[in-house]
Amino acid sequence: MVVNEADPARVAVALSTERLVPYLRAANGELDKALRLYEWNLAVSGGLYEALGILEVVLRNALGTQLAAHHGTLAGHWYDDPLGVLSDLAHEDIAAARRRVRKLWRPETPGRVVAELSFGFWKFLLAKRYEATLWTGYLRHAFPNLQPQSRAVVYRSLDELHTVRNRIAHHEPVHSRDLTADMLTIYRLLDWIDADVRAWAVSLSRLQPLIAARPN
């Protein structure tokens, strides 16, 4: 029986059969067990989202610093892209971020624009197309503890986390993933940026006990 002795059948109807199918499959069709797995999925998703939130803020600030260095003393800001380095899609993302800042009726600052850009935007800055233009001279310096400094290694790690982040954001199951591997990928990326930040994130994290508490 679930918390507060709620009627499992009514909970199942509210959640929808379609949403519960992956949990019922994992629980051999037993509704009580499927709901316990759903509850655990909620909890572990919350822990993952917290850790990913730290990574996202630290990552975008580290990359933003390097993009400002690339921009140098040119007029405006790096996201104005006076050198024409960024893709059309990146320009669209930046324009949308600037619109969101304006809708808040707040002055547009680089920090606010950076905060409005998505995880996917930062990931794609580490794609192969930017290897010569941004990575080699600048973005690699956002990861001083990465040896050897491989753009592809960083991109693959972020791509994997982008997948799990999207699943969490859409309340999808993550119970079949190797969540310990996801956790370690988050910590590894933080360590490449700053070992002290990694240590701080680990000290805050609820992930290890949550992962260990997965229902059988």
Side-chain angles (χ1 to χ4, degrees), residues 11-74:
V11 173
V13 170
L15 293 174
S16 83
T17 302
E18 185 177 2
R19 181 159 292 273
L20 281 179
V21 163
Y23 304 94
L24 286 164
R25 189 181 299 121
N28 295 318
E30 296 183 46
L31 182 56
D32 281 0
K33 290 182 178 180
L35 287 175
R36 285 201 296 273
L37 184 59
Y38 188 92
E39 292 165 6
W40 175 84
N41 195 89
L42 286 174
V44 81
S45 293
L48 273 167
Y49 204 73
E50 291 167 8
L52 285 165
I54 293 173
L55 173 63
E56 185 167 353
V57 171
V58 171
L59 174 72
R60 71 193 187 197
N61 289 338
L63 292 177
T65 296
Q66 295 305 318
L67 290 166
H70 176 261
H71 183 79
T73 59
L74 297 173

Side-chain angles (χ1 to χ4, degrees), residues 67 70 78 80-88 90-91 125 129-135:
L67 290 166
H70 176 261
W78 66 262
D80 296 315
D81 193 25
L83 299 174
V85 173
L86 300 177
S87 68
D88 290 343
H91 281 289
L125 282 183
R129 66 172 294 152
Y130 296 119
E131 180 124 31
T133 53
L134 291 176
W135 171 262

Side-chain angles (χ1 to χ4, degrees), residues 145-196:
N145 299 325
L146 171 64
Q147 298 298 332
Q149 288 197 305
S150 166
R151 176 207 54 77
V153 167
V154 180
Y155 181 84
R156 282 196 299 270
S157 298
L158 288 173
D159 191 45
E160 193 65 27
L161 293 179
H162 195 198
T163 298
V164 69
R165 185 188 185 281
N166 285 346
R167 292 196 67 78
I168 291 168
H170 291 93
H171 315 294
E172 296 293 336
V174 294
H175 62 81
S176 61
R177 291 184 61 88
D178 185 345
L179 297 180
T180 297
D182 291 328
M183 176 183 71
L184 293 176
T185 299
I186 294 169
Y187 295 158
R188 187 162 56 248
L189 279 157
L190 286 171
D191 191 57
W192 291 339
I193 298 169
D194 190 311
D196 286 324

